[in-house]
């Protein structure tokens, strides 16, 4: 059972969808009153109004007296992996959730995992996976094909059996999260892949769990350039860890 949770949101030029995300966060905090929560926003060098909107949200939130908030501002855009690394350093609670600010996976997914007793003492790290047979996923066909190709390359080149490395919804025990992110050197899209190898090096098991995932518009993913960047990143990680 999870009694306390640090939630880390990496943010980069997200002002267009922060309002709906704030409503989701507020709803989660109002319904999960028994859960001690710390929320960490990491602004990864945004050049829009994201940082000011986050500050305003925190200031006006009525539940802020029982919820700890932290906002970190990076001077430049370093990448999602770097943003999460900064956030993990400030995590205080027993469990740490890293997730995307677009809420493609709702925060209540953690509540569902607990309700179904999917969190147990055997595993210290849980990855949400869109490939799980019980997952409910809404995404277009082309993005699914790209994901399948990426998973195939990751398995062949790095011998990683995790079905979905790129789903942003990941839950760690605090000690394991701080260990893995301290060792992390990849800050782009492939940071998730390197985290798996870092955890594997210490025989830390990862359990994949089902999620409800919906594709959100205005994604930062470039379907032409990012697969190339990921392939190059996979090769760099291959030489770094083998």
């Amino acid at each position: 059972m999870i009694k306390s949770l640090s939630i880390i949101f990496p943010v980069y030029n997200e002002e267009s969808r922060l309002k709906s995300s704030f409503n989701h966060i507020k709803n989660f905090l109002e319904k999960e009153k028994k859960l001690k929560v710390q929320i960490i926003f990491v602004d990864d060098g945004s050049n829009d109004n994201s940082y000011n909107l986050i500050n305003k949200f925190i200031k006006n939130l009525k539940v802020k007296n029982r919820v700890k908030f932290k906002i970190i501002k990076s001077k430049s855009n370093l990448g999602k992996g770097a943003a999460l690394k900064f956030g993990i350093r400030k995590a205080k609670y027993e469990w740490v959730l890293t997730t995307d600010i677009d809420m493609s996976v709702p925060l209540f997914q953690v509540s569902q995992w607990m309700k179904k007793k999917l969190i147990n003492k055997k595993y210290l790290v849980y990855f949400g996976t869109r490939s799980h047979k019980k997952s409910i996923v809404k995404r277009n066909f082309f993005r699914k094909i790209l994901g399948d190709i990426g998973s195939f390359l990751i398995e062949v080149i790095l011998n990683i059996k995790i079905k979905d490395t790129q789903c942003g919804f990941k839950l760690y025990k605090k000690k394991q999260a701080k260990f893995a992110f301290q060792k992390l050197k990849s800050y782009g899209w492939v940071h998730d892949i390197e985290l798996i190898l870092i955890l594997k090096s210490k025989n830390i098991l990862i359990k994949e769990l089902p999620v409800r995932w919906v594709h959100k518009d205005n994604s930062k993913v470039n379907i032409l350039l990012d697969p190339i960047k990921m392939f190059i990143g996979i090769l760099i990680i291959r030489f770094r860890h083998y």
Side-chain angles (χ1 to χ4, degrees):
M1 179 62 67
I2 298 175
K3 296 181 180 180
S4 64
L5 180 68
S6 294
I7 305 173
I8 301 172
F9 293 104
V11 178
Y12 178 63
N13 290 345
E14 297 285 2
E15 66 176 359
S16 64
R17 51 186 169 194
L18 279 177
K19 183 178 179 180
S20 62
S21 298
F22 291 156
N23 288 335
H24 184 97
I25 293 170
K26 182 180 178 181
N27 190 27
F28 176 78
L29 295 175
E30 288 175 346
K31 290 187 177 181
E32 296 295 334
K33 294 181 179 180
K34 294 182 179 180
L35 183 66
K36 288 179 62 178
V37 178
Q38 175 193 27
I39 294 183
I40 302 172
F41 296 98
V42 186
D43 187 319
D44 187 28
S46 295
N47 50 33
D48 64 358
N49 202 35
S50 293
Y51 183 80
N52 292 330
L53 290 174
I54 293 170
N55 267 320
K56 184 178 179 181
F57 166 69
I58 294 173
K59 182 179 180 180
N60 295 332
L61 195 61
K62 293 181 180 180
V63 299
K64 64 181 180 181
N65 291 330
R66 65 177 179 84
V67 179
K68 295 182 182 296
F69 285 95
K70 183 75 175 179
I71 179 168
I72 302 169
K73 174 70 172 176
S74 175
K75 293 181 180 179
S76 59
N77 179 232
L78 300 176
K80 184 179 179 180
L84 292 176
K85 187 171 186 173
F86 293 147
I88 293 290
R89 288 175 181 169
K90 301 297 182 180
K92 302 292 185 182
Y93 286 158
E94 173 193 14
W95 288 88
V96 178
L97 174 69
T98 62
T99 187
D100 297 329
I101 195 67
D102 65 1
M103 304 297 171
S104 52
V105 178
L107 292 177
F108 290 102
Q109 187 67 69
V110 171
S111 309
Q112 290 297 314
W113 286 353
M114 288 192 289
K115 184 178 180 181
K116 295 179 180 179
K117 298 181 179 180
L118 299 178
I119 310 296
N120 57 61
K121 294 181 179 180
K122 182 179 179 181
Y123 296 93
L124 303 174
V125 180
Y126 297 85
F127 280 13
T129 175
R130 293 160 292 188
S131 299
H132 196 286
K133 62 181 180 180
K134 293 185 178 180
S135 290
I136 300 174
V137 178
K138 294 182 180 180
R139 58 176 166 173
N140 64 49
F141 177 76
F142 188 63
R143 291 175 69 92
K144 182 180 185 305
I145 291 298
L146 286 177
D148 291 342
I149 293 173
S151 297
F152 173 76
L153 292 174
I154 291 166
E155 181 174 354
V156 170
I157 297 174
L158 299 174
N159 192 32
I160 289 176
K161 305 298 183 182
I162 299 294
K163 294 179 180 179
D164 183 4
T165 63
Q166 298 304 298
C167 179
F169 202 83
K170 296 177 169 65
L171 180 69
Y172 308 78
K173 255 307 185 60
K174 182 178 70 174
K175 180 179 178 181
Q176 283 64 37
K178 288 185 179 289
F179 162 75
F181 278 90
Q182 183 182 13
K183 300 287 186 181
L184 184 69
K185 295 181 180 179
S186 300
Y187 292 162
W189 294 109
V190 294
H191 78 273
D192 305 88
I193 303 168
E194 186 170 26
L195 284 172
I196 294 170
L197 294 178
I198 293 170
L199 293 167
K200 187 178 179 181
S201 72
K202 293 296 182 180
N203 297 314
I204 299 171
L205 300 177
I206 299 170
K207 178 70 173 179
E208 292 189 271
L209 295 179
V211 293
R212 180 183 292 272
W213 190 92
V214 178
H215 169 70
K216 301 290 184 177
D217 292 333
N218 301 319
S219 170
K220 298 294 190 301
V221 177
N222 186 311
I223 59 176
L224 296 177
L225 294 179
D226 286 330
I228 298 173
K229 291 179 181 179
M230 177 171 284
F231 178 68
I232 295 172
I234 291 171
L235 294 179
I236 292 173
I237 291 174
R238 174 71 173 80
F239 290 119
R240 182 180 295 159
H241 288 271
Y242 288 92

